[in-house]
Amino acid sequence: MTDPHEAGRDSARPEAVAKRHKLGKRTARENIADLCDADSFLEYGALAIAAQRSRRAVDDLKRDTPADGLVSGVGRVNGDAFDAATARCVVMSYDYTVLAGTQGFQNHRKTDRMVDIALRDRLPVVFFTEGGGGRPGDVDTALIASSGLEVTSFYSFARLSGEVPLIGINAGRCFAGNAAFFGCCDITIATRDANLGMAGPAMIAGGGLGDFAPEDIGPADEQAAIGVVDIVVDDEAEAVATAKRCLAYFQGDVTHYTAGDPSAIGAAMPDNRRMTYDVRRIVAALADTDSMTELGATHAPNLVTAFIRIEGKALGVLANNPRSLAGAIDSPAARKAANFMRLCDTHGIALLTLCDTPGIMVGPEAEKTGTVRHASALFIAGARVSVPWYGIILRKAYGLGAQAMLGGHLKRPLFTVAWPNGELGPMGVEGAVTLGFRRELAAIEDPAERTARFQQLVDTMYEQGKAENVATFFEIDDVIDPAESRRWLAEMLATA
C-alpha cells in the first residue's frame, strides 16, 4: 500500500532539499526534527495541499505543495529535563521550499487549528516564520474574489499572547503576514542573514515607494538594535538550540546545575565609584553555570534583560549597565524593562533587579522621545507584577530611576539589599550639591576654595547616602557581601 505521506517528506523532494542546502539552510522538517525529541512530533494536516485545484492537477499539487507549505503539529521539547506533559509543545514551520513559504488558505486553517490546541492544552508555541507573506494564487476560495481580509489566523495567534509562551524563529526572508506572526512572539530569534519587514520588495514597489532588494529590508542587526529581534544567532542549528534553552525557562525547574565560586560575584565591581564595569559578568557569576540567556543585547544596551537560573530555578534579571549612558533609564530602556516585567509576570518567572542607575535620562533631547510616558509606564508595569521580586543595589540607586527599577519603591521587592559600595538618594550627589548649594558655592570667590567646599559637601552627602547609613534607618533590608547574594536568592526562591 502506498503511503500518501511519502510525497511530502524530504526524501521525496531531493531537488528542493538540495537547493535549500546549497543556500546553507535546513528544511522545515530538519529544523523540527532537531527541535523535538526523537519520534515525538505528531503532524497535523500533513496531507493538505494548496487551494488551487481549479487551475492545477491534484497530483501536481501533492507533489509541489505538500502540507500547503506549513508543517505543523505537537511534539516534545527538552524531554530529557522535563516530564512528558511539561515537554509538550506546538510547533509550526513555514516551508520555504513550497511556494516561498507563503501563507495559503489551507495553512491559515492549519494555523488556527494549532492555535486552538495550544490554547486548550496550555501548550507553548515555537514558530519558524520564514516566508513571503500572503499568497495570491489560491483561487479555490471566495476570499480570492473579495477583499481577502477575512482571515482569522492573525487574530487567533495574537490571542495566545499572555496565555502561553510564544517563541519565533526566522532564518532568511520574512515579510508581511509571516513577519506579523514573528512580531507577536514573546521571544524572537533570527539568523544574521535574516530580513524582516511588514512588506517585501514587490509590495513596496507596488506602493510606489521604490525598488529594493530583499536584503535591503529589515536586516537582522538593524531589527535587533531597535528591539524587533531579541537574539541574533549564526544559523538555524544555533537558533533551534537557543529556542530550546529559552523554552526551558518557562517549562520549570531543573535538578542538575553547578555554580561558580561565590567570591567571583563581586569581582567585577571596582572600588572606585567613578569607574565603569561589565554588569553581565556579575549576572553570569551570580547565576548557575552557563544558565544566562540575554534578550535584546544591542537594543537599549543601558539595560540588560536576561534569564538565569539559581539552584535550578528560573529567574528574570533586570540590570542597569553602567557602560551605556552610565546605566540611566531612557525611553527605549523603560519600554524594554516594562515588556520584560510583563513577560516574566505572565508566565510565573520571578524577577531580580540589579540596580546601578543615576536615574531617568533627562533633558530636552530625552523628552523628545516621550520619556514621561515611557518612564511612567515602567512604574505601572512594576505595580502590576505579582511574581516574587528581589532587589540588589550594586552601587548607585538614585531618584525615580532607582524606584522604577525596584518596582516603585525600596520595599516593593521581597528583599532589597545593597552591596557595601551602594549609594542612595533623590539624585546623584554631585548634582544634588550643585543644585542645593548653588548660592553658597557662587558666593565663594576663590576658585580653589570653592572647589574644596564643593568636594566637602559631596563627601558629606555621599556618607549620608551610603548603603550602610541608609540601612540604619531601615530603608533597605541589609548591606551584604557580594558573595552572599546568591545565598539570599536561593533561600527565597526555595520557598517562592
Side-chain angles (χ1 to χ4, degrees), residues 368-392:
K368 291 177 182 177
T369 68
T371 304
V372 171
R373 177 68 76 179
H374 297 303
S376 299
L378 183 53
F379 280 104
I380 293 171
R384 290 178 175 171
V385 166
S386 59
V387 294
W389 195 335
Y390 316 106
I392 301 176

Side-chain angles (χ1 to χ4, degrees), residues 50-375:
Q52 300 179 11
R53 299 173 193 240
S54 60
R55 67 187 187 93
R56 298 181 62 183
V58 170
D59 286 344
D60 290 346
L61 292 171
K62 289 180 179 179
R63 183 186 66 246
D64 297 338
T65 67
D68 196 29
L70 180 75
V71 183
S72 59
V74 179
R76 294 194 307 273
V77 180
N78 295 324
D80 57 335
F82 303 100
D83 62 48
T86 304
R88 291 182 72 217
C89 180
V90 166
V91 181
M92 295 186 284
S93 177
Y94 284 104
D95 185 345
Y96 205 79
T97 70
V98 176
L99 303 177
T102 49
Q103 298 176 325
F105 177 72
Q106 298 296 358
N107 70 39
H108 271 310
R109 293 182 64 218
K110 290 171 67 174
T111 299
D112 287 344
R113 174 66 165 150
M114 301 317 301
V115 165
D116 182 58
I117 290 169
L119 196 58
R120 282 193 284 176
D121 277 8
R122 317 303 298 178
L123 302 181
V125 178
V126 177
F127 203 162
F128 297 83
T129 60
E130 182 185 10
R135 182 194 307 161
D138 283 9
V139 296
D140 300 343
T141 166
L143 289 176
I144 198 67
S146 61
S147 70
L149 300 180
E150 195 179 341
V151 175
T152 57
S153 300
F154 302 107
Y155 164 76
S156 65
F157 189 73
R159 285 181 62 214
L160 288 178
S161 180
E163 299 292 337
V164 299
L166 305 174
I167 298 177
I169 299 176
N170 189 72
R173 300 167 184 175
C174 179
F175 298 131
N178 295 58
F181 285 142
F182 182 84
C184 283
C185 292
D186 298 310
I187 298 176
T188 52
I189 304 165
T191 56
R192 297 189 189 282
D193 65 348
N195 291 84
L196 304 105
M198 291 311 295
M203 187 177 293
I204 293 171
L209 299 174
D211 295 321
F212 298 92
E215 294 75 20
D216 296 330
I217 304 166
D221 58 345
E222 291 183 3
Q223 297 286 31
I226 58 177
V228 173
V229 173
D230 291 317
I231 304 173
V232 178
V233 296
D234 290 331
D235 53 32
E236 289 164 293
E238 187 180 355
V240 168
T242 301
K244 294 173 73 171
R245 183 184 179 94
C246 289
L247 183 59
Y249 296 114
F250 300 102
Q251 290 174 308
D253 303 341
V254 297
T255 55
H256 301 291
Y257 60 87
T258 58
D261 183 354
S263 65
I265 296 173
M269 175 66 73
D271 291 331
N272 187 335
R273 63 185 291 269
R274 296 181 181 275
M275 289 183 64
T276 189
Y277 61 92
D278 185 357
V279 75
R280 293 178 178 87
R281 285 182 55 195
I282 292 175
V283 176
L286 183 64
D288 294 351
T289 305
D290 296 326
S291 71
M292 177 183 173
T293 302
E294 184 176 357
L295 305 184
T298 60
H299 169 58
N302 42 321
L303 183 83
V304 172
T305 53
F307 289 115
I308 65 171
R309 289 187 185 275
I310 298 290
E311 295 192 355
K313 294 184 180 296
L315 188 63
V317 178
L318 296 160
N320 302 109
N321 177 17
R323 287 190 170 178
S324 177
L325 298 180
I329 301 169
D330 59 358
S331 290
R335 292 194 300 269
K336 181 179 179 180
N339 289 337
F340 189 70
M341 288 178 188
R342 284 190 288 267
L343 175 61
C344 291
D345 187 53
T346 296
H347 299 294
I349 296 176
L351 278 164
L352 166 65
T353 289
L354 298 178
C355 183
D356 185 357
T357 182
I360 294 170
M361 186 64 87
V362 296
E365 292 304 311
E367 302 307 344
K368 291 177 182 177
T369 68
T371 304
V372 171
R373 177 68 76 179
H374 297 303

